[in-house]
Each structure stands twice: as structure tokens, then as C-alpha cells.
Amino acid sequence: MNEKITLTNNGVDTVYVREDLATKNTGVGLFREVKFCGFDWNVIAEDSESLTLLMKKCLSPDIIKKVFNSDEYDSDYDVKFNSDSSDWRWKNSIIRKRLNDRFLKMLDKDSLVPMTSTVWLDGESSTTKDYVRLLSVEELFRLPKSLKENKCKYLFWSFSPHNLNSVGYASVFSVNSSGNLDYYLVDSSGAVAPVIKLKRSSLTEK
């Protein structure tokens, strides 16, 4: 049965949620849980046109094996941000490539909104347009700890650069298993927590 959900965050108007296999809303307000294409997500931002969703848990080993080549993940099914130890740019990350190809095929692309992101480090900018991405460090600061802790065994990646040190090793912001902000070298391994932007119309009754 269809049900009406009233969203109260920031004065957002009432929407009508379709409870079907594609999308199911299980709560109200920001950070509520949503099911989309068989995966569980949390709403981390919304506007009149769309909902930004963070996967509730990082990609499971079964999904990692389908999305990445066997030489791209370790025994814990964690993935390097970049195999080039000096490259902090999200646009060159193997995670970005696989999320926007193999993982995207597991989703309903027509229900998604592409997201444009720009990162900066040492005066250089890098801009990407993705259907699937990671969290930014700004989003990490805004999220409650309950949405960041226990998502993974060790750490999960953001796409925001942290530093390029004097000997040429790049690091990227990440979150450890306790939910605390951290940073790791890009050729270290971490878990993957996808972010998508879902059209609000895909949740609204016609």
C-alpha cells in the first residue's frame, strides 16, 4: 500500500512515497533510510528536486567482486584510492571509474541526477561530473557520527584531498571505523561508501 510521508526538515513540503521494489522510504526527516535498487541508503541532503543519498554500509565483498577487478582489492575487499601514490585527484581514481561504470549498471540511471564536484589542493582544481561519487570532507563534517561509525572494518574514503607532502605522497580524507575524520595515503586501501543524487520525482506519486 502506498503511504504519505511528511518531511519536516527545513520546511520541505509533503511528498508521497511509492513503496515498491525500486524505492522505499522508511522514515521522515533528514538522515532517514531509503531503499533504492536493492540497497539501503540514508538521506544526507535534499531540495525541491532531489535527494542526496549515502549508502548505509560500505560496499559488501560480493559487490566489490562484481565492481572491481580481482587485482584492485585486497583480502579485506578494500580498494586503493589511486595506485599512483602522488595523485590526489578524484577524476583519476579507479574507484570513480568503477562506480560510474559497473556499479552504475546496478542502479536505475534514469532516476539519478549527475553531480558536479570540484576539489582543490595547492592552488590546483579538479572538476568531475558523476552519477556516483564518494562523500566530500564538507559533507563528512555535517553528518552525525551515527552515520559514519561502524560502516566498515578499517576506514572508508572521501574524494577530498588532504595533502601532497614534500616527497610526493598524496593523502585523502577518510573516516575510520569509529566514525572519526582521518586521512590516509592514496595508495592505502579503504572501503567504498557510494553517494548518489536521486530525482524526487522517482519518489512522488503521479
Side-chain angles (χ1 to χ4, degrees):
M1 179 180 294
N2 296 330
E3 66 176 31
K4 182 170 69 175
I5 300 294
T6 302
L7 306 180
T8 57
N9 185 68
N10 295 326
V12 177
D13 292 335
T14 299
V15 296
Y16 294 84
V17 178
R18 186 171 62 239
E19 288 194 352
D20 55 24
L21 295 178
T23 306
K24 182 178 179 181
N25 190 309
T26 57
V28 296
L30 201 59
F31 311 131
R32 65 196 181 278
E33 291 184 23
V34 171
K35 185 173 287 291
F36 176 65
C37 291
F39 298 102
D40 294 321
W41 311 77
N42 291 105
V43 178
I44 61 170
E46 58 187 325
D47 56 33
S48 61
E49 300 295 329
S50 63
L51 307 169
T52 302
L53 308 180
L54 167 67
M55 186 169 283
K56 185 176 180 181
K57 292 288 186 180
C58 294
L59 293 182
S60 68
D62 286 344
I63 299 299
I64 288 289
K65 287 188 287 187
K66 293 177 182 178
V67 172
F68 293 89
N69 295 337
S70 60
D71 61 349
E72 293 171 345
Y73 55 84
D74 63 16
S75 58
D76 291 309
Y77 300 96
D78 287 342
V79 183
K80 293 180 180 180
F81 185 86
N82 202 320
S83 58
D84 180 347
S85 62
S86 66
D87 195 348
W88 50 267
R89 300 161 189 82
W90 166 238
K91 69 178 181 180
N92 296 330
S93 175
I94 189 63
I95 299 174
R96 176 177 181 254
K97 180 177 180 180
R98 298 294 184 237
L99 288 182
N100 284 277
D101 181 11
R102 297 174 187 173
F103 181 69
L104 182 58
K105 292 176 182 177
M106 300 179 182
L107 306 177
D108 177 10
K109 183 178 177 181
D110 291 339
S111 294
L112 301 180
V113 180
M115 300 167 285
T116 300
S117 308
T118 299
V119 293
W120 290 80
L121 187 65
D122 296 335
E124 179 186 345
S125 66
S126 177
T127 299
T128 55
K129 188 174 184 179
D130 303 305
Y131 281 97
V132 191
R133 59 169 173 80
L134 303 179
L135 287 166
S136 69
V137 69
E138 293 82 7
E139 288 170 325
L140 285 170
F141 278 123
R142 293 195 296 267
L143 288 181
K145 193 171 184 179
S146 61
L147 291 191
K148 296 181 286 187
E149 59 188 358
N150 301 318
K151 289 181 77 70
C152 60
K153 186 175 182 180
Y154 300 114
L155 68 100
F156 66 91
W157 295 111
S158 81
F159 69 73
S160 296
H162 168 260
N163 186 39
L164 179 63
N165 68 24
S166 59
V167 292
Y169 290 104
S171 55
V172 170
F173 283 104
S174 59
V175 177
N176 62 32
S177 59
S178 298
N180 297 316
L181 187 66
D182 210 332
Y183 58 88
Y184 285 84
L185 296 175
V186 296
D187 59 352
S188 303
S189 294
V192 178
V195 173
I196 59 174
K197 182 174 279 192
L198 183 66
K199 296 175 183 177
R200 189 177 286 277
S201 59
S202 67
L203 292 174
T204 304
E205 288 288 344
K206 303 299 183 181

